[in-house]
Amino acid sequence: MKLQRKNRLRALSLGALAVSGALALTACGSDDTSSGDGGKETNANANIKCDDAKGRLAASGSSAQKNAIDAWRKVYTTNCKDVQLNYNPTGSGAGITAFMQGQTAFAGSDSALKPEEIEKSKKVCSNSQAIGLPMVGGPIAIGFNVPGVDKLNLDAKTLADIFNNKIKNWDDKAIEKLNPDAKLPSTKVQAFHRSDESGTTDNFTKYLKGAAPSAWPYEPGKSWEPKGGQSANGSAGVAGQVKQTPGAISYFELSYAGEGVKTVDLKTEAKEPVKATVDNASKAIAEAKVVGKGKDLSLKLNYKPTAEGAYPITLVTYEVVCEKGNKADTLAATKSFLTYIASEDGQNVLKENDYAPIPAEIISKVRTTVAGLS
């Protein structure tokens, strides 16, 4: 366990120093499946059907699911030795772009496909279109590094003001009101956002817009709109900056909150502030509804969940793939890998690595859809 934590800390440090180069090396170099910044130990004896899967399977996109992909890849490639799986965590926007250009077999996106993206996908999906398969859930943690402060409560409006550069110092009255027992320093707030197009940004800004519309005048999206603040590439990049920068705060998937990175408890309508945990995220995701058309299983999340203890800043990562018209040389490997990660064994890996499994009613539809890919 200590070794695993050291590996994760090392990954965060590398991400802060040379994120883009590190990500490129992670995805493009080799078929090494022992990624040091990946998940925890997983069951290598999963019941996986390799069928005729072989060759190179390239995918890219969401950096939020990278640690899940790493954990899955360790198990999958141990069982299906003829498949070389390379996943490049370039961010949701870049992943969708690469998929639309026919560069990858599937893409990871933390946002559901837009109608115009589905229409565009008909050029790469022969006589068909792309569909989104919800595969990974989890909380978007708000990591902070405030000297002398171990526990921090924030609400939606205060978060909006922090990331909109209206709150400049950590001893601001709005923060003090939410943390009467904390000794808040006058340290300058260093708010970091994603520099790349990101589904994590999309979901985080959807929360701010939905929970504090008067304080967040911007439309949600993958690109960061407010002026000011600082930026870093990918989830590893912003998490690394929080770890090494006094006064820093940022948003990233919970699995990137390694040892030494504290996370905010959210003040909601519930009696007590809600912690960013897998179980609390699952309570919120359970209220999601399928709104995609046909085989597309896009979900509509509830950013104001009514369940006690539900953590409202959640995301769902979709694997974006052609419903039909997939390339013949990667179809078998694509179906084999997606079948595994949607299986009970595959979903169990998620919770072991600080992600939330997709609710049973939804993941059963995913399995049926994957079986019909052609």
Side-chain angles (χ1 to χ4, degrees), residues 30-33 48-58 73-86 106 329-337:
S30 70
D31 59 352
D32 179 14
T33 61
I48 297 175
K49 293 183 179 180
C50 303
D51 294 327
D52 297 322
K54 60 183 178 180
R56 182 174 180 269
L57 183 62
R73 179 172 55 184
K74 290 177 184 178
V75 180
Y76 181 77
T77 56
T78 296
N79 287 268
C80 301
K81 300 182 184 299
D82 292 333
V83 178
Q84 179 185 342
L85 173 61
N86 291 313
F106 67 91
D329 58 343
T330 57
L331 176 59
T334 298
K335 290 185 68 172
S336 173
F337 180 67

Side-chain angles (χ1 to χ4, degrees), residues 5-307:
R5 290 178 176 174
K6 288 180 179 179
N7 285 342
R8 180 169 288 178
L9 291 175
R10 180 179 64 183
L12 289 174
S13 175
L14 288 172
L17 292 173
V19 175
S20 60
L23 294 181
L25 288 172
T26 298
C28 302
S30 70
D31 59 352
D32 179 14
T33 61
S34 59
S35 303
D37 56 349
K40 302 169 187 176
E41 292 299 324
T42 54
N43 176 20
N45 297 314
N47 183 23
I48 297 175
K49 293 183 179 180
C50 303
D51 294 327
D52 297 322
K54 60 183 178 180
R56 182 174 180 269
L57 183 62
S60 65
S62 164
S63 63
Q65 72 166 357
K66 178 185 179 295
N67 292 337
I69 291 286
D70 283 346
W72 281 328
R73 179 172 55 184
K74 290 177 184 178
V75 180
Y76 181 77
T77 56
T78 296
N79 287 268
C80 301
K81 300 182 184 299
D82 292 333
V83 178
Q84 179 185 342
L85 173 61
N86 291 313
Y87 183 79
N88 193 346
T90 53
S92 298
I96 292 294
T97 297
F99 175 78
M100 295 297 183
Q101 294 174 347
Q103 299 174 11
T104 55
F106 67 91
S109 176
D110 303 323
S111 298
L113 287 168
K114 297 179 180 179
E116 57 268 28
E117 291 175 329
I118 292 177
E119 184 63 30
K120 186 177 180 180
S121 73
K122 294 179 180 179
K123 294 181 179 180
V124 70
C125 300
S126 180
N127 297 317
S128 185
Q129 65 181 42
I131 55 176
L133 304 176
M135 204 72 77
V136 182
I140 300 174
I142 310 298
F144 69 94
N145 181 349
V146 183
V149 178
D150 293 325
K151 179 178 173 56
L152 186 67
N153 300 325
L154 295 174
D155 59 15
K157 182 182 184 305
T158 306
L159 273 173
D161 286 341
I162 286 173
F163 282 92
N164 199 20
N165 307 299
K166 290 188 175 182
I167 291 180
K168 305 291 186 181
N169 300 91
W170 280 106
D171 59 353
D172 187 274
K173 291 183 178 179
I175 301 176
E176 286 184 341
K177 185 177 180 180
L178 291 165
N179 301 272
D181 298 328
K183 294 182 179 179
L184 297 166
S186 59
T187 305
K188 181 181 177 181
V189 172
Q190 306 276 1
F192 284 87
H193 59 267
R194 291 278 291 271
S195 59
D196 53 319
E197 284 197 353
S198 162
T200 311
T201 295
D202 189 21
N203 282 281
F204 178 54
T205 53
K206 281 178 179 176
Y207 163 74
L208 295 177
K209 186 68 173 179
S214 61
W216 193 255
Y218 312 99
E219 287 301 313
K222 295 178 183 177
S223 298
W224 188 258
E225 284 196 37
K227 304 298 181 183
Q230 301 182 66
S231 65
N233 188 72
S235 297
V238 291
Q241 290 295 339
V242 168
K243 181 170 178 59
Q244 69 180 18
T245 307
I249 185 170
S250 190
Y251 55 93
F252 40 82
E253 210 281 331
L254 181 62
S255 69
Y256 286 87
E259 185 177 335
V261 178
K262 306 178 185 70
T263 60
V264 168
D265 292 351
L266 285 178
K267 182 70 176 71
T268 66
E269 297 301 316
K271 294 180 180 179
E272 298 293 333
V274 183
K275 295 184 179 298
T277 69
V278 169
D279 288 339
N280 288 346
S282 294
K283 293 178 182 178
I285 295 174
E287 295 188 19
K289 295 182 179 180
V290 176
V291 294
K293 297 180 180 179
K295 297 295 184 180
D296 180 57
L297 298 176
S298 297
L299 303 176
K300 182 177 181 180
L301 297 172
N302 180 4
Y303 290 101
K304 291 185 177 181
T306 58

Side-chain angles (χ1 to χ4, degrees), residues 331-351:
L331 176 59
T334 298
K335 290 185 68 172
S336 173
F337 180 67
L338 295 182
T339 296
Y340 160 58
I341 67 178
S343 70
E344 185 175 350
D345 284 339
Q347 289 292 296
N348 284 341
V349 167
L350 292 178
K351 197 166 184 179

